[in-house]
Amino acid sequence: MMPGVDMVMHLQMPPSVPAFIAKLWKMVENPDTDGLISWSEGGTSFCIKNQSEFARSLLPYYYKHSNMASFVRQLNMYDFHKVLSVEAGALKGEKEEMEFAHSYFNQGQEQKLEQIKRKVTSARTSAGFKQQFLPSLSSEKVNEVLTEVGQLKERQEDLDGRLEVMKTENEALWGEVISLRQRHSKQQKIVNKLIQFLVALVQPRGRKRPFQPRMSGVTLAIE
């Protein structure tokens, strides 16, 4: 544990102060970590001296992670603004120092921390509606969408059922066609046999065709 961190972590904060803000205040207030983060000269902002070392050594003790980008996103969510200082006509190198300020985050004015609130997204404040009506409006919209989705699902299931019935009927029709073809083939064979049988009955028996041998170009008729 870093010197002084354990003592500062156990400082009590009013329950109305967001946890992120309370931890940030304790971190900036700790004099043992001034080499990494501290108040600015006027006390109206705080400075991070070394981003990589700050993320590696200090963030895990307060926020249980070492993600600098996540820490900065949280600052933005609570409406902290990045301060750009100009020295010798050039901006400070962002990799070396970062400075953030909030109108209610000032040295020696801990009582103002309760007024720091997380920013409300534009989706919740649009259309000019009062915020107290938004939950019911959102709930109605959600229910409406769910109802439409349910109706679409029912229609889809109905279409699936119809397609299944058509598929079954189609298979039955094909079965009947195949059965009819087989019956037709059998009947055709029977008809052919009947025709052969009738032809055999009608044709006279014992009648022979005359035999006409050919010898030396002379045809002899034998009866």
Side-chain angles (χ1 to χ4, degrees):
M1 179 71 67
M2 298 184 66
V5 170
D6 186 53
M7 179 183 67
V8 175
M9 284 290 287
H10 288 85
L11 291 176
Q12 294 298 322
M13 280 281 181
S16 57
V17 177
F20 176 82
I21 300 301
K23 293 178 181 180
L24 177 63
W25 178 268
K26 295 173 184 179
M27 186 164 52
V28 178
E29 280 283 290
N30 186 4
D32 292 329
T33 59
D34 282 353
L36 296 176
I37 185 171
S38 65
W39 291 106
S40 62
E41 185 175 351
T44 57
S45 61
F46 67 89
C47 301
I48 298 174
K49 310 296 179 58
N50 186 320
Q51 292 187 46
S52 57
E53 184 63 23
F54 169 79
R56 185 182 67 84
S57 303
L58 198 55
L59 275 184
Y61 289 107
Y62 289 90
Y63 298 103
K64 298 182 180 180
H65 69 81
S66 58
N67 191 326
M68 188 65 189
S70 177
F71 175 72
V72 173
R73 281 197 298 269
Q74 286 290 323
L75 288 173
N76 292 333
M77 287 181 181
Y78 284 96
D79 209 22
F80 279 81
H81 301 286
K82 194 172 184 180
V83 179
L84 298 178
S85 300
V86 179
E87 293 182 354
L91 294 176
K92 281 185 178 180
E94 291 187 358
K95 294 183 179 179
E96 298 174 2
E97 287 192 20
M98 297 178 71
E99 185 176 352
F100 293 92
H102 193 289
S103 56
Y104 296 125
F105 195 86
N106 300 311
Q107 188 176 18
Q109 300 182 21
E110 185 176 347
Q111 71 278 4
K112 291 184 177 181
L113 297 179
E114 295 178 322
Q115 302 183 55
I116 300 178
K117 306 296 181 182
R118 192 165 181 168
K119 289 192 298 186
V120 180
T121 59
S122 58
R124 295 183 179 179
T125 56
S126 61
F129 287 99
K130 294 183 179 180
Q131 191 169 356
Q132 57 266 30
F133 294 110
L134 288 176
S136 60
L137 178 61
S138 177
S139 177
E140 290 175 2
K141 287 294 183 182
V142 170
N143 290 334
E144 182 179 346
V145 171
L146 290 176
T147 301
E148 292 180 358
V149 171
Q151 292 175 351
L152 289 174
K153 185 178 180 181
E154 291 178 358
R155 293 175 185 174
Q156 183 65 37
E157 291 176 351
D158 182 58
L159 288 175
D160 291 341
R162 292 183 181 182
L163 288 174
E164 190 65 27
V165 171
M166 292 176 64
K167 180 180 178 182
T168 303
E169 292 178 350
N170 191 37
E171 291 176 352
L173 288 174
W174 273 110
E176 291 182 5
V177 169
I178 293 173
S179 177
L180 288 173
R181 286 180 177 178
Q182 292 175 348
R183 289 170 58 187
H184 174 74
S185 178
K186 290 180 181 179
Q187 290 176 356
Q188 188 67 36
K189 291 179 181 179
I190 293 173
V191 170
N192 290 338
K193 288 181 179 180
L194 286 174
I195 292 174
Q196 293 175 1
F197 177 73
L198 292 174
V199 170
L201 288 177
V202 173
Q203 185 176 359
R205 295 183 179 181
R207 185 177 180 181
K208 298 181 180 179
R209 296 179 62 186
F211 177 70
Q212 297 179 352
R214 297 177 180 273
M215 299 180 61
S216 301
V218 180
T219 301
L220 298 176
I222 301 175
E223 296 184 0

